[in-house]
Amino acid sequence: MQNDKIVVGLDIGTTKICVIVGRKNEYGKLDVLGMGKSVSDGVVKGKVINIEKTILAIKKAVQEAEDVSGIDIKVVNVGIAGHHIRSSIHRGSITRDDGEDEITVEDVDRLANDIGRMVMPAGTQIIHKMPQVYTVDYDDGIKDPVGMTGVRLEADFHVITADVNSINNIEKCVKRAGLDIENMILEPLASSLSVLSEDEKEAGVCLVDIGGGTTDIAIFHENIIRHTGVIPFGGNIITSDIKEGCMVMQQQAELLKTKFGRAISTEASENEIVSIPGLRNRAPKEISVKNLAHIVEARMEEIIDLVHAEIIASGYEGKLAGGIVITGGGSQLHSVRQLVEYLTGMDARIGYPNEHLGKSKIEQVKSPMFATSVGLVLVGYRSLDERENRYLQAKAMNQNVFVNQKQKAGKKGGDFFSKIINKTKSLLIDDFDENDDF
């Protein structure tokens, strides 16, 4: 049963490694059974740079999730991100033997498989190939061609590639931690499942996931993924700016950012001062909240300007009625929504994964910081493309019909042969009885 299926998401991020164990309840919501976190020391900007540290962090997070949930974790859905991610549009086509027959799910799969065999730049590998729109003979702009008739089937595919070494390093870490990978998913696509509504995807929306090492972008329009991008800046670079600008330790800079940081400097008071402990035998250091806000605002403006440039480059500026949805740890920065609206001129909101969550004792999972982790669990129940779900259901129905027909045919055939055998037996008995009379 689908509701009995337990799915595990593993988010290997730059600042944290998170494991979430979930199961769908009777209302179709996700019940979080367990959660585990650990500090991510071996990952920088989404790429694994220290295998051993990453393995230890994965094991620690998995153990914590197992202790809370009581589930023995063996298979996970893993997220992948980083500046090495590339996206492009490629067109594929197939020619069908008989244009009078209806286009089937198998035809659509054959077209997708052909795209999967295309030659990519050296050192890269396809992780997603998602159809945009189809063309059947001379009719274009078709979202779902199954059931139509035609000889030539074409489609534009949104192809997402990743660095082979990055993929191999993630696989190596997960396997050496004693786990198997069920799916490897681009992280902003996973986040989109947890924080975006179907209406927003239909109207047009840009998801901005501000993580520790990178800011990931995914643009949807007419319920189809149209553009993805990765900006090599995230929350960690703001922390580094504060560390250098205020001359404090890394941990102190992180606390200053999360507790007192503001994305709009005019909201900070001129007279507000934060005192932090000094180094050994040194007086406490006083930090102006106004100066802190200037540092945060400058870097956030840079990140948002790059996000806006991605939206313009995608060609969908002015088409996103759903505006911008900000999620990830960086979305929790004070006044970030207002700054996004001011710089882009688009409506914005903070994306929480609450809509898909059932009742849970683990309240922190409702934070935007865990949107990707929740999305990775949802991937185990849903496809990134809703059309694929329909195709899989259609395949299952066809297989069930075929099995039932085969069983019926076998039963009928068995009855036929049974009648022949019984008839033969009766003739033999009759012959034997006749011989006894002589």
Side-chain angles (χ1 to χ4, degrees):
M1 294 291 292
Q2 183 78 344
N3 287 348
D4 294 334
K5 181 182 178 183
I6 293 176
V7 179
V8 181
L10 170 59
D11 178 12
I12 304 176
T14 302
T15 57
K16 71 180 185 310
I17 288 178
C18 179
V19 175
I20 289 182
V21 183
R23 179 174 57 198
K24 283 288 186 74
N25 60 27
E26 63 270 25
Y27 305 107
K29 299 292 185 179
L30 183 67
D31 288 339
V32 176
L33 305 178
M35 178 179 176
K37 305 189 304 294
S38 62
V39 177
S40 181
D41 291 328
V43 182
V44 174
K45 293 186 177 180
K47 295 184 72 172
V48 176
I49 62 168
N50 190 305
I51 298 290
E52 294 303 325
K53 285 185 177 181
T54 304
I55 293 170
L56 290 174
I58 292 173
K59 287 182 176 179
K60 182 179 178 182
V62 168
Q63 185 62 56
E64 184 179 335
E66 287 181 336
D67 292 342
V68 174
S69 66
I71 303 295
D72 187 19
I73 298 173
K74 294 297 181 185
V75 182
V76 294
N77 293 298
V78 182
I80 184 170
H83 193 45
H84 59 94
I85 301 294
R86 296 287 183 272
S87 68
S88 56
I89 303 296
H90 295 272
R91 190 167 185 83
S93 64
I94 60 170
T95 302
R96 304 174 65 246
D97 295 332
D98 191 349
E100 297 299 323
D101 290 342
E102 291 185 352
I103 294 173
T104 64
V105 176
E106 287 71 21
D107 292 325
V108 174
D109 287 344
R110 184 156 65 94
L111 179 58
N113 291 335
D114 283 350
I115 286 291
R117 288 192 290 268
M118 66 185 293
V119 178
M120 301 305 299
T124 63
Q125 181 178 323
I126 296 175
I127 55 174
H128 296 296
K129 48 183 189 300
M130 294 170 288
Q132 306 278 284
V133 289
Y134 293 88
T135 299
V136 178
D137 290 343
Y138 299 104
D139 295 330
D140 56 7
I142 299 167
K143 289 185 179 181
D144 189 349
V146 175
M148 300 181 67
T149 57
V151 175
R152 188 170 180 82
L153 177 63
E154 301 174 83
D156 291 326
F157 283 84
H158 185 109
V159 178
I160 300 174
T161 61
D163 180 65
V164 170
N165 291 332
S166 297
I167 295 173
N168 291 340
N169 287 337
I170 290 175
E171 291 178 344
K172 185 183 298 183
C173 291
V174 174
K175 289 179 180 178
R176 285 176 60 180
L179 305 169
D180 292 325
I181 298 175
E182 183 175 2
N183 296 298
M184 184 175 289
I185 306 100
L186 183 65
E187 292 193 351
L189 298 183
S191 300
S192 71
L193 286 182
S194 65
V195 302
L196 297 182
S197 68
E198 295 303 314
D199 289 340
E200 284 176 323
K201 291 180 183 178
E202 183 68 31
V205 66
C206 176
L207 175 74
V208 179
D209 188 343
I210 307 175
T214 61
T215 297
D216 303 326
I217 300 165
I219 295 176
F220 294 83
H221 188 258
E222 294 181 346
N223 223 354
I224 297 172
I225 179 74
R226 303 291 185 174
H227 181 80
T228 53
V230 179
I231 296 170
F233 303 123
N236 285 0
I237 198 168
I238 300 175
T239 304
S240 297
D241 289 348
I242 295 171
K243 176 185 174 182
E244 294 181 9
C246 298
M247 297 182 66
V248 295
M249 303 292 290
Q250 182 80 15
Q251 292 180 345
Q252 293 172 332
E254 182 66 24
L255 286 173
L256 284 170
K257 180 186 73 175
T258 55
K259 289 191 174 183
F260 303 100
R262 287 173 171 79
I264 299 177
S265 59
T266 55
E267 294 184 356
S269 172
E270 292 280 357
N271 302 321
E272 191 174 358
I273 301 294
V274 178
S275 180
I276 60 174
L279 297 175
R280 180 179 295 181
N281 299 326
R282 290 178 175 83
K285 192 177 185 67
E286 292 186 343
I287 305 296
S288 167
V289 172
K290 187 75 170 180
N291 290 340
L292 178 65
H294 279 301
I295 295 171
V296 174
E297 182 183 43
R299 184 60 77 175
M300 280 305 304
E301 280 186 354
E302 182 182 3
I303 292 173
I304 295 168
D305 284 342
L306 290 171
V307 169
H308 196 197
E310 283 282 341
I311 295 173
I312 295 171
S314 72
Y316 283 89
E317 187 188 26
K319 300 178 182 178
L320 305 179
I324 297 174
V325 176
I326 317 152
T327 192
S331 68
Q332 298 178 290
L333 199 61
H334 193 277
S335 302
V336 68
R337 180 184 64 82
Q338 291 87 337
L339 185 63
V340 169
E341 289 184 336
Y342 174 74
L343 293 177
T344 64
M346 302 170 64
D347 292 335
R349 72 172 179 87
I350 306 299
Y352 295 88
N354 300 351
E355 181 181 346
H356 302 284
L357 292 176
K359 292 182 179 180
S360 174
K361 296 179 181 179
I362 309 173
E363 285 298 318
Q364 61 179 320
V365 78
K366 297 178 181 178
S367 166
M369 187 182 298
F370 302 104
T372 299
S373 305
V374 172
L376 290 171
V377 179
L378 291 173
V379 168
Y381 294 98
R382 296 175 56 192
S383 169
L384 295 172
D385 188 341
E386 290 299 324
R387 290 171 294 188
E388 188 175 340
N389 283 334
R390 295 198 297 272
Y391 295 159
L392 291 174
Q393 290 171 3
K395 272 188 177 180
M397 290 178 64
N398 290 339
Q399 289 175 353
N400 289 336
V401 169
F402 177 75
V403 170
N404 291 336
Q405 288 177 344
K406 190 174 180 181
Q407 289 174 345
K408 288 179 180 178
K411 187 176 181 181
K412 288 179 180 178
D415 292 342
F416 176 72
F417 286 113
S418 296
K419 289 178 181 178
I420 292 177
I421 291 170
N422 291 332
K423 184 68 175 175
T424 305
K425 282 182 179 179
S426 63
L427 290 173
L428 290 171
I429 292 170
D430 292 340
D431 290 342
F432 181 76
D433 291 339
E434 288 174 4
N435 290 332
D436 281 348
D437 293 338
F438 284 105

